[in-house]
């Protein structure tokens, strides 16, 4: 949070989401390094490499997550904060479940199906491919960023948005 506040607070939403997602994908590619055993070739133990890369992944994820929370706080109608949180939690859970099922299917397609039997290390030969796809996946929606995100600073009010429900069915019925 401190790094985000000092480095990225004045950036525009599009830039911070673009940089955050690309950085997150790049850090997630470190899994491929472990699966290909390049860290061992460089003299770095698995434990040290995974611990350090996990810490960096967490920090980068938080920096990429904060702008989304900021824009949601600007767009959330007053008095509907709990409903918005529930919708976000539901969308997050749906995405996590779909990602898990898609990942399981990808592992099956790539023949990464270890059974726990001795001498089955060949089952992991294609695991790096699944890790690369999982790392690159979050960059795909970035193509829609110009259409979905306003080109304003995170510190600015979003023009034309006095109320997130203005003109909606909700505002007509209320």
């Amino acid at each position: 949070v401190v790094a985000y506040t000092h480095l990225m607070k004045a950036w525009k939403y599009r830039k911070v989401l673009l940089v955050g997602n690309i950085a997150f994908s790049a850090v997630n590619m470190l899994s491929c390094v472990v699966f290909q055993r390049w860290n061992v070739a460089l003299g770095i133990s698995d434990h040290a490499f995974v611990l350090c890369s996990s810490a960096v992944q967490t920090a980068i994820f938080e920096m990429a997550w904060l702008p989304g929370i900021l824009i949601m706080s600007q767009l959330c109608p007053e008095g509907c904060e709990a409903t918005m949180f529930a919708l976000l939690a539901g969308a997050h859970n749906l995405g996590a479940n779909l990602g898990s099922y898609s990942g399981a299917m990808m592992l099956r397609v790539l023949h990464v199906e270890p059974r726990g039997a001795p001498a089955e290390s060949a089952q992991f030969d294609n695991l790096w491919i699944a890790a690369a796809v999982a790392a690159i996946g979050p960059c795909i929606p970035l193509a829609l960023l110009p259409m979905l995100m306003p080109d304003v600073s995170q510190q600015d009010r979003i023009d034309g948005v006095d109320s997130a429900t203005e003109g909606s069915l909700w505002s007509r019925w209320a």
Side-chain angles (χ1 to χ4, degrees):
V1 174
V2 172
Y4 172 81
T5 302
H6 289 292
L7 299 174
M8 303 165 76
K9 171 172 85 170
W11 289 11
K12 293 185 175 187
Y13 281 112
R14 290 181 189 173
K15 181 179 178 182
V16 74
L17 288 171
L18 180 72
V19 170
N21 277 307
I22 290 173
F24 187 64
S25 291
V27 171
N28 281 336
M29 289 295 283
L30 293 175
S31 297
C32 296
V33 172
V34 173
F35 298 146
Q36 291 293 92
R37 311 298 295 151
W38 295 338
N39 61 306
V40 175
L42 294 171
I44 304 170
S45 73
D46 288 338
H47 296 287
F49 192 85
V50 170
L51 180 67
C52 291
S53 66
S54 293
V56 173
Q57 284 174 340
T58 302
I60 297 289
F61 174 78
E62 291 298 324
M63 290 175 71
W65 179 69
L66 283 170
I69 296 302
L70 284 174
I71 199 166
M72 291 307 295
S73 69
Q74 283 192 16
L75 297 176
C76 183
E78 193 172 326
C80 293
E81 291 85 0
T83 303
M84 185 63 74
F85 179 78
L87 285 170
L88 288 174
H92 174 77
N93 290 338
L94 176 64
N97 284 328
L98 290 174
S100 293
Y101 294 134
S102 299
M105 185 179 76
M106 183 186 323
L107 290 174
R108 181 162 238 175
V109 167
L110 293 172
H111 305 292
V112 180
E113 302 174 283
R115 305 267 185 246
E120 65 173 359
S121 62
Q123 288 290 321
F124 298 101
D125 287 346
N126 293 331
L127 186 57
W128 73 272
I129 297 170
V133 170
I136 294 168
C139 288
I140 294 170
L142 293 178
L144 300 174
L145 206 56
M147 293 175 273
L148 297 176
M149 293 301 293
D151 194 25
V152 297
S153 169
Q154 299 171 79
Q155 297 174 330
D156 297 337
R157 194 87 180 120
I158 299 173
D159 288 337
V161 180
D162 295 325
S163 168
T165 59
E166 186 176 324
S168 68
L169 291 174
W170 173 260
S171 66
R172 293 180 202 156
W173 289 339

